[in-house]
Amino acid sequence: MDDCDAAATRKGFVEAQAASLEPLDFVVVGLPQPPFDAIQLRREEDGTFVVEIAGRDPAAPFTDVQAKALGDLGFAAGDETWAGPASASPADAVALVERVLDEVLGIEAATPIDVRHGTLREERAAEARLAEMRTFIEPVLKTILGGTDAPKDGDGDYIVDVQRSRVFVAPRALPGRPPIIRVFAITNAGLNLTPDLGLFLARVNFSLAFGRFSIDTDHRAVWLDETLLGEHVTADELTFVVGVVAQTAAEWDEKIASLFGGTYRESGAAADQQGDGSAAQPPATPSKPGEGGYL
């Protein structure tokens, strides 16, 4: 088989795979040789087709020539992928894939390719559930804060300062799992990790009706949290749990610090009182151990 026949056969095969895609389904054209580039061809909900190329390892990125070639084909670099322009038909999308293989990656027509199928339905459904939870959560927290919008940290978690406690409200929606709202406070940091600390927290947990203490061993921190089912929680329940977590954290943080060292609250025990003897406000910025994908 000459190169023209091989190219036509490959193009026809990939086009047949693309034409069979349902909305949010995709086919990946992968190369079984280093650097194992992968090209995803996806049908969107509106019926258009999108081609994306997985980003390479930073240690072996696309060359300047390859990056220019991608730009000439209409691709834009993102955090993890290069996204191409939308196509109205599978034939146009596959033609773009072929141009990437030829003009960017320099793949010969006879080079074997791996083809696998997948879908983004669960991921998009999870994104929609997360957006719905945020729409529900934000006005509830605004009411708790007396009409002020709750700020978000770098993880997208809401920050709720209640009296001298800092509470985080973290909506989570993963594909194939029920959405949840995690409400937590970091009561102590920099503790001495001893068996006695674990025993102490286990005994405290036994006495609590809501919330549970846990230890973040990597960051020598103690967390107090409660989890709610995101699709069934009411405004009253969320308000109640935020209040309980704040109250319980305020009740135990200084006690834990006095027994096991470390500081309580993100600002430390020394900030408990202002110069005039009044209660200090929580710190202006969060300080979560492991912030940035900690869950």
Side-chain angles (χ1 to χ4, degrees):
M1 182 182 296
D2 60 26
D3 287 346
C4 290
D5 290 340
T9 299
R10 182 177 68 191
K11 183 174 183 294
F13 172 74
V14 176
E15 188 172 327
Q17 303 301 304
S20 68
L21 296 176
E22 297 293 331
L24 297 183
D25 288 350
F26 61 80
V27 60
V28 174
V29 176
L31 302 178
Q33 61 189 39
F36 304 105
D37 289 306
I39 306 170
Q40 183 189 102
L41 193 163
R42 181 177 68 251
R43 184 192 288 266
E44 294 286 14
E45 290 180 291
D46 62 3
T48 59
F49 293 84
V50 174
V51 176
E52 292 184 346
I53 304 172
R56 285 184 173 179
D57 188 312
F62 289 113
T63 66
D64 290 343
V65 172
Q66 289 174 318
K68 183 180 184 304
L70 286 170
D72 291 342
L73 291 175
F75 284 83
D79 292 337
E80 298 180 355
T81 62
W82 285 72
S87 302
S89 70
D92 291 340
V94 173
L96 181 58
V97 171
E98 286 294 321
R99 293 192 65 182
V100 171
L101 291 172
D102 179 26
E103 299 173 25
V104 178
L105 303 180
I107 301 303
E108 297 180 356
T111 301
I113 59 173
D114 291 331
V115 176
R116 64 180 178 86
H117 287 260
T119 183
L120 293 180
R121 292 195 195 102
E122 287 289 347
E123 286 82 353
R124 294 289 177 87
E127 292 172 2
R129 289 193 290 267
L130 181 60
E132 291 174 1
M133 283 193 294
R134 291 192 181 279
T135 300
F136 161 75
I137 288 170
E138 290 175 1
V140 177
L141 300 186
K142 186 173 184 177
T143 298
I144 294 174
L145 294 173
T148 301
D149 291 329
K152 289 185 285 188
D153 66 11
D155 293 314
D157 299 342
Y158 298 96
I159 304 167
V160 186
D161 290 337
V162 182
Q163 298 179 11
R164 68 179 182 86
S165 295
R166 166 151 286 174
V167 177
F168 296 90
V169 178
R172 296 286 183 265
L174 297 177
R177 297 184 183 181
I180 63 171
I181 301 173
R182 188 177 183 186
V183 182
F184 63 91
I186 301 166
T187 62
N188 303 79
L191 296 95
N192 299 318
L193 300 183
T194 66
D196 286 342
L197 172 61
L199 179 60
F200 174 82
L201 294 180
R203 287 173 172 168
V204 174
N205 283 340
F206 186 73
S207 69
L208 298 178
F210 296 95
R212 289 293 180 269
F213 284 101
S214 59
I215 302 174
D216 175 3
T217 57
D218 290 341
H219 302 92
R220 297 169 56 209
V222 170
W223 295 49
L224 170 70
D225 71 283
E226 181 65 79
T227 301
L228 299 166
L229 290 176
E231 291 181 322
H232 303 287
V233 64
T234 67
D236 287 343
E237 290 169 340
L238 178 57
T239 300
F240 173 78
V241 168
V242 169
V244 166
V245 170
Q247 180 180 355
T248 306
E251 178 183 355
W252 288 100
D253 53 11
E254 189 172 4
K255 296 177 184 177
I256 294 171
S258 67
L259 292 170
F260 302 100
T263 59
Y264 66 95
R265 299 191 315 279
E266 291 79 6
S267 57
D272 187 34
Q273 298 293 322
Q274 302 279 23
D276 59 3
S278 61
Q281 293 298 314
T285 55
S287 177
K288 294 189 303 188
E291 188 170 359
Y294 61 93
L295 292 177

